[in-house]
Amino acid sequence: MPHKISDIAKALGAEAFGDLTIEISGAAEPASAGPDDLALAMSPAYAAGLSQGQARAAVLWEGADWQGLGLEAAIIAPRARLAMARLTALLAEDDGPVGIHPSAYVAPDAQIGAAVTVGPFTVVGAGASIGARARIGAHVSIAAGAVIGAGAVIGDGVRIGQRVRLGARVILHPNVVIGGDGFSFVSTEASNVERARETLGRAEVLPPKDGTWHKIHSLGGVVIGDDVEIGANSTVDAGTIRATMIGRGTKIDNLCQIGHNVIMGEDCLLSAQTGVAGSAKVGNRVVLGGKSGVADNITIGDDAVLGGAAIALSNVPKGRIMMGYPAV
């Protein structure tokens, strides 16, 4: 769907110049842009590419001479990455067809809101609730009683377990699993790992009389707030008795693991391969770099930052920047 330069500038909250009636249908790098593309040249380093492409309009850096660059129109973006966020959101809008695919199974007592899409071979369990305008992909399973908020986008192959509640506009990328059992087992007698922890590794290792691990089932489910996004193949385990909780606006990358009973705050950012162990508490606006880790039963304060591959083994005060293993 084409967009006028004036409409794009309004969506970006940016100032526009030149012929604002020009319509564009996509975005491109300057050198490869066609006449119907909006060239993205948001720093002087991209200026030379404009002469190689055919763009009539571009998003430019503050102070750029758009007429000298041979353009018919320009949008000035002082903060380039913020402009990218808003522009890509505008261009990514694709409502597509609405409705339930004939091969999908929806339980008779499931509650389906207005303008919901359910893809092929998806299963919606008994008593589940899907809010208005939610888009459910193919091969998704939604357990009995699960709740999905309005405007949610659930990618192909996602698994949503029992006692899971997703807020409005939650995005789950393909093959996310929400509400699987936590990794929680107990032995009949104190195990070597328990004794090692209690004595800080000084305990003698003894063969157990009974090596059986008894499973502690997860009954608490998961509660995920509004506007949370979770990347492909990431998992959030159900709580044991109370719910595992992910706060509003938190963004989780691919291949992350959130353990049972974790309480994570709002607007956190977790990069790929991050793991948060069971019963940890993570404050608001915490950033966890790629391959970072948080030990079980510790607290990470608000606004803390863990660099890539940093492992927090003890409590981290609010506002602290941590690096290394163990994180310091």
Side-chain angles (χ1 to χ4, degrees):
M1 177 179 177
H3 298 274
K4 291 182 180 179
I5 295 298
S6 57
D7 295 332
I8 295 172
K10 183 178 179 180
L12 270 58
E15 192 173 6
F17 301 90
D19 184 357
L20 305 188
T21 65
I22 291 175
E23 293 187 341
I24 66 98
S25 55
E29 293 185 351
S32 58
D36 296 325
D37 289 326
L38 183 65
L40 304 182
M42 291 176 282
S43 80
Y46 293 98
L50 289 169
S51 62
Q52 302 171 32
Q54 298 177 304
R56 296 183 293 156
V59 183
L60 300 176
W61 65 96
E62 193 169 23
D65 178 7
W66 63 274
Q67 290 173 310
L69 292 168
L71 297 168
E72 298 176 37
I75 298 171
I76 303 301
R79 183 158 170 76
R81 285 180 62 79
L82 182 59
M84 283 285 289
R86 292 171 176 169
L87 176 63
T88 54
L90 177 67
L91 298 180
E93 291 178 356
D94 179 17
D95 292 336
V98 173
I100 298 173
H101 193 275
S103 66
Y105 171 78
V106 178
D109 61 346
Q111 299 178 36
I112 308 297
V116 165
T117 297
V118 179
F121 303 106
T122 284
V123 175
V124 180
S129 175
I130 301 176
R133 303 176 307 283
R135 299 182 62 81
I136 315 299
H139 294 275
V140 173
S141 60
I142 299 171
V147 176
I148 297 173
V153 178
I154 310 300
D156 296 344
V158 167
R159 309 299 178 201
I160 298 173
Q162 291 185 318
R163 296 175 287 273
V164 170
R165 298 183 65 89
L166 306 183
R169 300 172 300 280
V170 166
I171 299 174
L172 303 181
H173 290 273
N175 298 320
V176 164
V177 178
I178 307 293
D181 270 5
F183 190 70
S184 190
F185 299 87
V186 64
S187 56
T188 305
E189 301 174 343
S191 66
N192 283 322
V193 68
E194 290 176 84
R195 296 169 59 247
R197 189 164 187 164
E198 289 172 1
T199 63
L200 297 180
R202 292 189 295 271
E204 182 183 0
V205 174
L206 300 172
K209 295 179 182 177
D210 178 3
T212 302
W213 293 105
H214 300 276
K215 181 180 179 63
I216 299 175
H217 292 265
S218 299
L219 307 178
V222 177
V223 175
I224 293 179
D226 297 344
D227 300 301
V228 169
E229 183 165 352
I230 301 180
N233 295 305
S234 290
T235 57
V236 181
D237 288 347
T240 306
I241 301 299
R242 61 166 175 81
T244 301
M245 304 185 74
I246 309 293
R248 178 203 56 78
T250 285
K251 314 299 183 186
I252 298 174
D253 199 358
N254 303 335
L255 296 168
C256 292
Q257 156 67 5
I258 311 299
H260 62 283
N261 301 334
V262 165
I263 297 178
M264 184 167 293
E266 299 181 350
D267 294 316
C268 295
L269 202 64
L270 279 66
S271 295
Q273 298 185 5
T274 288
V276 181
S279 299
K281 294 182 179 180
V282 179
N284 298 321
R285 301 173 301 279
V286 170
V287 176
L288 303 179
K291 285 191 175 181
S292 63
V294 176
D296 61 286
N297 292 282
I298 68 170
T299 298
I300 309 295
D302 292 349
D303 302 300
V305 175
L306 267 64
I311 307 296
L313 299 178
S314 59
N315 294 340
V316 174
K318 64 180 182 180
R320 190 66 57 85
I321 299 174
M322 309 289 289
M323 301 183 73
Y325 177 35
V328 294

